mmCIF file of all heavy atoms in Angstrom:
data_model
loop_
_atom_site.group_PDB
_atom_site.id
_atom_site.type_symbol
_atom_site.label_atom_id
_atom_site.label_comp_id
_atom_site.label_asym_id
_atom_site.label_seq_id
_atom_site.Cartn_x
_atom_site.Cartn_y
_atom_site.Cartn_z
ATOM 1 N N GLY A 83 130.029 26.186 -118.433
ATOM 2 C CA GLY A 83 131.047 25.268 -117.814
ATOM 3 C C GLY A 83 130.535 24.397 -116.749
ATOM 4 O O GLY A 83 131.285 23.700 -116.091
ATOM 5 N N LYS A 84 129.275 24.515 -116.355
ATOM 6 C CA LYS A 84 128.731 23.766 -115.151
ATOM 7 C C LYS A 84 127.589 22.904 -115.558
ATOM 8 O O LYS A 84 126.699 23.332 -116.397
ATOM 9 C CB LYS A 84 128.330 24.729 -114.043
ATOM 10 C CG LYS A 84 129.443 25.545 -113.508
ATOM 11 C CD LYS A 84 129.113 26.283 -112.324
ATOM 12 C CE LYS A 84 130.355 27.030 -111.831
ATOM 13 N NZ LYS A 84 130.133 27.708 -110.619
ATOM 14 N N PRO A 85 127.430 21.625 -115.043
ATOM 15 C CA PRO A 85 126.292 20.831 -115.287
ATOM 16 C C PRO A 85 125.023 21.488 -114.930
ATOM 17 O O PRO A 85 124.926 22.149 -113.882
ATOM 18 C CB PRO A 85 126.544 19.573 -114.383
ATOM 19 C CG PRO A 85 127.963 19.587 -114.066
ATOM 20 C CD PRO A 85 128.354 21.047 -114.062
ATOM 21 N N THR A 86 124.035 21.514 -115.840
ATOM 22 C CA THR A 86 122.783 22.236 -115.704
ATOM 23 C C THR A 86 121.618 21.347 -116.154
ATOM 24 O O THR A 86 121.838 20.651 -117.175
ATOM 25 C CB THR A 86 122.808 23.551 -116.392
ATOM 26 O OG1 THR A 86 123.930 24.308 -115.856
ATOM 27 C CG2 THR A 86 121.567 24.337 -116.127
ATOM 28 N N THR A 87 120.479 21.324 -115.565
ATOM 29 C CA THR A 87 119.310 20.664 -116.052
ATOM 30 C C THR A 87 118.332 21.656 -116.633
ATOM 31 O O THR A 87 117.885 22.634 -116.039
ATOM 32 C CB THR A 87 118.651 19.922 -114.844
ATOM 33 O OG1 THR A 87 119.624 19.126 -114.188
ATOM 34 C CG2 THR A 87 117.450 19.067 -115.258
ATOM 35 N N PHE A 88 117.928 21.351 -117.892
ATOM 36 C CA PHE A 88 116.908 22.120 -118.560
ATOM 37 C C PHE A 88 115.682 21.287 -118.883
ATOM 38 O O PHE A 88 115.861 20.078 -119.092
ATOM 39 C CB PHE A 88 117.477 22.600 -119.935
ATOM 40 C CG PHE A 88 118.618 23.512 -119.894
ATOM 41 C CD1 PHE A 88 119.889 23.048 -119.815
ATOM 42 C CD2 PHE A 88 118.372 24.946 -119.814
ATOM 43 C CE1 PHE A 88 120.970 23.974 -119.708
ATOM 44 C CE2 PHE A 88 119.434 25.821 -119.768
ATOM 45 C CZ PHE A 88 120.702 25.370 -119.717
ATOM 46 N N GLY A 89 114.525 21.871 -118.849
ATOM 47 C CA GLY A 89 113.341 20.983 -119.092
ATOM 48 C C GLY A 89 112.149 21.850 -119.352
ATOM 49 O O GLY A 89 112.109 23.045 -119.314
ATOM 50 N N PHE A 90 111.021 21.067 -119.479
ATOM 51 C CA PHE A 90 109.728 21.607 -119.632
ATOM 52 C C PHE A 90 108.677 20.986 -118.672
ATOM 53 O O PHE A 90 108.806 19.778 -118.404
ATOM 54 C CB PHE A 90 109.122 21.406 -121.031
ATOM 55 C CG PHE A 90 109.893 22.067 -122.073
ATOM 56 C CD1 PHE A 90 110.959 21.549 -122.760
ATOM 57 C CD2 PHE A 90 109.529 23.390 -122.469
ATOM 58 C CE1 PHE A 90 111.732 22.150 -123.692
ATOM 59 C CE2 PHE A 90 110.246 24.032 -123.456
ATOM 60 C CZ PHE A 90 111.368 23.388 -124.068
ATOM 61 N N TYR A 91 107.728 21.675 -118.073
ATOM 62 C CA TYR A 91 106.672 21.178 -117.288
ATOM 63 C C TYR A 91 105.287 21.734 -117.736
ATOM 64 O O TYR A 91 105.252 22.853 -118.308
ATOM 65 C CB TYR A 91 106.885 21.492 -115.808
ATOM 66 C CG TYR A 91 106.899 22.944 -115.460
ATOM 67 C CD1 TYR A 91 105.705 23.559 -114.907
ATOM 68 C CD2 TYR A 91 108.023 23.742 -115.455
ATOM 69 C CE1 TYR A 91 105.735 24.860 -114.641
ATOM 70 C CE2 TYR A 91 108.043 25.040 -115.110
ATOM 71 C CZ TYR A 91 106.874 25.596 -114.700
ATOM 72 O OH TYR A 91 106.813 26.971 -114.258
ATOM 73 N N GLU A 92 104.240 21.013 -117.511
ATOM 74 C CA GLU A 92 102.919 21.361 -117.842
ATOM 75 C C GLU A 92 102.107 21.499 -116.521
ATOM 76 O O GLU A 92 102.213 20.633 -115.678
ATOM 77 C CB GLU A 92 102.243 20.364 -118.760
ATOM 78 C CG GLU A 92 100.878 20.874 -119.185
ATOM 79 C CD GLU A 92 100.165 19.967 -120.112
ATOM 80 O OE1 GLU A 92 100.790 19.299 -120.981
ATOM 81 O OE2 GLU A 92 98.942 19.800 -120.042
ATOM 82 N N VAL A 93 101.375 22.557 -116.380
ATOM 83 C CA VAL A 93 100.566 22.818 -115.244
ATOM 84 C C VAL A 93 99.256 22.001 -115.351
ATOM 85 O O VAL A 93 98.526 22.208 -116.164
ATOM 86 C CB VAL A 93 100.359 24.324 -114.984
ATOM 87 C CG1 VAL A 93 99.372 24.503 -113.756
ATOM 88 C CG2 VAL A 93 101.561 25.048 -114.895
ATOM 89 N N VAL A 94 99.044 21.124 -114.324
ATOM 90 C CA VAL A 94 97.865 20.329 -114.263
ATOM 91 C C VAL A 94 96.811 21.108 -113.502
ATOM 92 O O VAL A 94 95.564 21.074 -113.851
ATOM 93 C CB VAL A 94 98.170 18.922 -113.548
ATOM 94 C CG1 VAL A 94 96.871 18.120 -113.428
ATOM 95 C CG2 VAL A 94 99.129 18.220 -114.351
ATOM 96 N N GLU A 95 97.146 21.618 -112.305
ATOM 97 C CA GLU A 95 96.196 22.406 -111.533
ATOM 98 C C GLU A 95 96.963 23.471 -110.734
ATOM 99 O O GLU A 95 98.064 23.176 -110.234
ATOM 100 C CB GLU A 95 95.438 21.504 -110.598
ATOM 101 C CG GLU A 95 94.364 22.125 -109.776
ATOM 102 C CD GLU A 95 93.503 21.173 -108.991
ATOM 103 O OE1 GLU A 95 93.565 19.996 -109.290
ATOM 104 O OE2 GLU A 95 92.797 21.663 -108.090
ATOM 105 N N VAL A 96 96.461 24.656 -110.628
ATOM 106 C CA VAL A 96 96.947 25.659 -109.757
ATOM 107 C C VAL A 96 96.209 25.727 -108.530
ATOM 108 O O VAL A 96 94.934 25.620 -108.469
ATOM 109 C CB VAL A 96 96.818 27.086 -110.504
ATOM 110 C CG1 VAL A 96 97.406 28.219 -109.618
ATOM 111 C CG2 VAL A 96 97.567 27.063 -111.830
ATOM 112 N N PHE A 97 96.970 25.811 -107.408
ATOM 113 C CA PHE A 97 96.287 25.740 -106.081
ATOM 114 C C PHE A 97 96.121 27.209 -105.503
ATOM 115 O O PHE A 97 96.957 28.113 -105.801
ATOM 116 C CB PHE A 97 97.133 25.029 -105.049
ATOM 117 C CG PHE A 97 97.447 23.596 -105.508
ATOM 118 C CD1 PHE A 97 98.741 23.049 -105.441
ATOM 119 C CD2 PHE A 97 96.435 22.808 -105.989
ATOM 120 C CE1 PHE A 97 98.949 21.726 -105.853
ATOM 121 C CE2 PHE A 97 96.678 21.497 -106.406
ATOM 122 C CZ PHE A 97 97.973 20.972 -106.304
ATOM 123 N N ASP A 98 95.052 27.433 -104.714
ATOM 124 C CA ASP A 98 94.792 28.664 -104.096
ATOM 125 C C ASP A 98 95.663 28.693 -102.874
ATOM 126 O O ASP A 98 95.596 27.871 -101.911
ATOM 127 C CB ASP A 98 93.291 28.698 -103.663
ATOM 128 C CG ASP A 98 92.941 29.996 -102.907
ATOM 129 O OD1 ASP A 98 93.824 30.763 -102.539
ATOM 130 O OD2 ASP A 98 91.777 30.192 -102.638
ATOM 131 N N PRO A 99 96.573 29.718 -102.764
ATOM 132 C CA PRO A 99 97.498 29.768 -101.630
ATOM 133 C C PRO A 99 96.874 29.999 -100.321
ATOM 134 O O PRO A 99 97.413 29.698 -99.198
ATOM 135 C CB PRO A 99 98.456 30.941 -101.948
ATOM 136 C CG PRO A 99 97.705 31.726 -103.017
ATOM 137 C CD PRO A 99 96.768 30.792 -103.717
ATOM 138 N N LYS A 100 95.584 30.396 -100.305
ATOM 139 C CA LYS A 100 94.859 30.645 -99.062
ATOM 140 C C LYS A 100 94.153 29.389 -98.589
ATOM 141 O O LYS A 100 93.605 29.333 -97.481
ATOM 142 C CB LYS A 100 93.895 31.775 -99.175
ATOM 143 C CG LYS A 100 94.599 33.112 -99.431
ATOM 144 C CD LYS A 100 93.683 34.246 -99.717
ATOM 145 C CE LYS A 100 94.381 35.513 -100.042
ATOM 146 N NZ LYS A 100 93.553 36.538 -100.479
ATOM 147 N N ASP A 101 94.051 28.404 -99.478
ATOM 148 C CA ASP A 101 93.398 27.097 -99.090
ATOM 149 C C ASP A 101 94.322 26.209 -98.320
ATOM 150 O O ASP A 101 95.362 25.791 -98.802
ATOM 151 C CB ASP A 101 92.950 26.478 -100.449
ATOM 152 C CG ASP A 101 92.144 25.113 -100.186
ATOM 153 O OD1 ASP A 101 91.996 24.686 -99.022
ATOM 154 O OD2 ASP A 101 91.675 24.532 -101.170
ATOM 155 N N PRO A 102 93.940 25.882 -97.064
ATOM 156 C CA PRO A 102 94.798 25.003 -96.266
ATOM 157 C C PRO A 102 94.788 23.557 -96.621
ATOM 158 O O PRO A 102 95.496 22.774 -95.953
ATOM 159 C CB PRO A 102 94.294 25.270 -94.790
ATOM 160 C CG PRO A 102 92.789 25.454 -95.079
ATOM 161 C CD PRO A 102 92.718 26.258 -96.369
ATOM 162 N N THR A 103 94.017 23.141 -97.623
ATOM 163 C CA THR A 103 93.932 21.740 -98.014
ATOM 164 C C THR A 103 95.330 21.194 -98.355
ATOM 165 O O THR A 103 96.073 21.788 -99.119
ATOM 166 C CB THR A 103 92.933 21.582 -99.182
ATOM 167 O OG1 THR A 103 91.692 22.109 -98.867
ATOM 168 C CG2 THR A 103 92.845 20.113 -99.569
ATOM 169 N N ILE A 104 95.613 20.045 -97.876
ATOM 170 C CA ILE A 104 96.897 19.317 -98.222
ATOM 171 C C ILE A 104 96.728 18.753 -99.615
ATOM 172 O O ILE A 104 95.828 17.990 -99.825
ATOM 173 C CB ILE A 104 97.208 18.253 -97.197
ATOM 174 C CG1 ILE A 104 97.552 18.937 -95.818
ATOM 175 C CG2 ILE A 104 98.430 17.424 -97.653
ATOM 176 C CD1 ILE A 104 97.711 18.038 -94.673
ATOM 177 N N GLN A 105 97.637 19.163 -100.545
ATOM 178 C CA GLN A 105 97.573 18.644 -101.923
ATOM 179 C C GLN A 105 98.475 17.519 -102.259
ATOM 180 O O GLN A 105 98.223 16.731 -103.137
ATOM 181 C CB GLN A 105 97.897 19.866 -102.869
ATOM 182 C CG GLN A 105 97.001 21.047 -102.660
ATOM 183 C CD GLN A 105 95.531 20.793 -103.065
ATOM 184 O OE1 GLN A 105 95.250 19.823 -103.789
ATOM 185 N NE2 GLN A 105 94.634 21.709 -102.655
ATOM 186 N N PHE A 106 99.541 17.369 -101.433
ATOM 187 C CA PHE A 106 100.606 16.342 -101.671
ATOM 188 C C PHE A 106 101.085 15.787 -100.307
ATOM 189 O O PHE A 106 101.148 16.552 -99.327
ATOM 190 C CB PHE A 106 101.847 16.854 -102.406
ATOM 191 C CG PHE A 106 101.667 17.101 -103.813
ATOM 192 C CD1 PHE A 106 101.150 18.261 -104.424
ATOM 193 C CD2 PHE A 106 102.031 16.031 -104.745
ATOM 194 C CE1 PHE A 106 101.020 18.494 -105.760
ATOM 195 C CE2 PHE A 106 101.917 16.219 -106.105
ATOM 196 C CZ PHE A 106 101.415 17.414 -106.611
ATOM 197 N N GLU A 107 101.235 14.497 -100.307
ATOM 198 C CA GLU A 107 101.927 13.819 -99.153
ATOM 199 C C GLU A 107 103.230 13.256 -99.757
ATOM 200 O O GLU A 107 103.148 12.339 -100.557
ATOM 201 C CB GLU A 107 101.076 12.743 -98.561
ATOM 202 C CG GLU A 107 99.934 13.260 -97.787
ATOM 203 C CD GLU A 107 99.053 12.183 -97.142
ATOM 204 O OE1 GLU A 107 99.406 11.034 -97.222
ATOM 205 O OE2 GLU A 107 98.060 12.575 -96.495
ATOM 206 N N SER A 108 104.287 13.938 -99.395
ATOM 207 C CA SER A 108 105.640 13.623 -100.005
ATOM 208 C C SER A 108 105.450 13.934 -101.489
ATOM 209 O O SER A 108 105.106 15.025 -101.804
ATOM 210 C CB SER A 108 106.009 12.129 -99.753
ATOM 211 O OG SER A 108 107.300 11.876 -100.358
ATOM 212 N N TYR A 109 105.738 12.979 -102.352
ATOM 213 C CA TYR A 109 105.609 13.254 -103.804
ATOM 214 C C TYR A 109 104.254 12.824 -104.363
ATOM 215 O O TYR A 109 103.929 13.067 -105.569
ATOM 216 C CB TYR A 109 106.707 12.552 -104.606
ATOM 217 C CG TYR A 109 106.574 11.069 -104.499
ATOM 218 C CD1 TYR A 109 105.806 10.406 -105.447
ATOM 219 C CD2 TYR A 109 107.126 10.299 -103.532
ATOM 220 C CE1 TYR A 109 105.626 9.007 -105.416
ATOM 221 C CE2 TYR A 109 106.987 8.979 -103.424
ATOM 222 C CZ TYR A 109 106.203 8.351 -104.371
ATOM 223 O OH TYR A 109 106.065 6.944 -104.317
ATOM 224 N N ALA A 110 103.354 12.253 -103.551
ATOM 225 C CA ALA A 110 102.067 11.716 -103.999
ATOM 226 C C ALA A 110 100.990 12.736 -103.909
ATOM 227 O O ALA A 110 100.753 13.347 -102.854
ATOM 228 C CB ALA A 110 101.708 10.441 -103.235
ATOM 229 N N ARG A 111 100.248 12.893 -104.992
ATOM 230 C CA ARG A 111 99.110 13.869 -105.040
ATOM 231 C C ARG A 111 98.018 13.247 -104.176
ATOM 232 O O ARG A 111 97.586 12.078 -104.329
ATOM 233 C CB ARG A 111 98.652 14.045 -106.448
ATOM 234 C CG ARG A 111 97.489 14.997 -106.644
ATOM 235 C CD ARG A 111 97.955 16.465 -106.601
ATOM 236 N NE ARG A 111 96.820 17.272 -106.554
ATOM 237 C CZ ARG A 111 96.090 17.781 -107.545
ATOM 238 N NH1 ARG A 111 96.423 17.393 -108.764
ATOM 239 N NH2 ARG A 111 95.039 18.479 -107.408
ATOM 240 N N VAL A 112 97.404 14.007 -103.300
ATOM 241 C CA VAL A 112 96.316 13.533 -102.442
ATOM 242 C C VAL A 112 95.016 13.606 -103.215
ATOM 243 O O VAL A 112 94.670 14.577 -103.881
ATOM 244 C CB VAL A 112 96.201 14.401 -101.205
ATOM 245 C CG1 VAL A 112 94.960 14.078 -100.344
ATOM 246 C CG2 VAL A 112 97.463 14.331 -100.352
ATOM 247 N N GLY A 113 94.241 12.497 -103.181
ATOM 248 C CA GLY A 113 92.884 12.442 -103.721
ATOM 249 C C GLY A 113 92.850 12.270 -105.230
ATOM 250 O O GLY A 113 91.805 12.432 -105.863
ATOM 251 N N VAL A 114 94.001 11.882 -105.884
ATOM 252 C CA VAL A 114 93.996 11.651 -107.276
ATOM 253 C C VAL A 114 94.561 10.202 -107.452
ATOM 254 O O VAL A 114 95.532 9.779 -106.921
ATOM 255 C CB VAL A 114 95.006 12.651 -107.994
ATOM 256 C CG1 VAL A 114 95.061 12.271 -109.429
ATOM 257 C CG2 VAL A 114 94.429 14.071 -107.780
ATOM 258 N N ASP A 115 93.784 9.450 -108.264
ATOM 259 C CA ASP A 115 94.196 8.050 -108.479
ATOM 260 C C ASP A 115 95.063 7.909 -109.691
ATOM 261 O O ASP A 115 94.593 8.262 -110.862
ATOM 262 C CB ASP A 115 92.871 7.301 -108.633
ATOM 263 C CG ASP A 115 93.203 5.843 -108.823
ATOM 264 O OD1 ASP A 115 94.280 5.326 -108.294
ATOM 265 O OD2 ASP A 115 92.407 5.111 -109.436
ATOM 266 N N GLY A 116 96.273 7.523 -109.493
ATOM 267 C CA GLY A 116 97.129 7.207 -110.678
ATOM 268 C C GLY A 116 97.276 8.351 -111.684
ATOM 269 O O GLY A 116 97.474 9.460 -111.328
#
Side-chain angles (χ1 to χ4, degrees):
K84 296 187 178 186
T86 306
T87 303
F88 294 88
F90 294 91
Y91 64 93
E92 182 178 327
V93 178
V94 175
E95 186 172 344
V96 177
F97 304 135
D98 178 351
K100 296 175 184 167
D101 182 355
T103 304
I104 295 172
Q105 303 292 345
F106 282 88
E107 288 183 0
S108 181
Y109 66 89
R111 180 81 191 274
V112 174
V114 176
D115 184 27

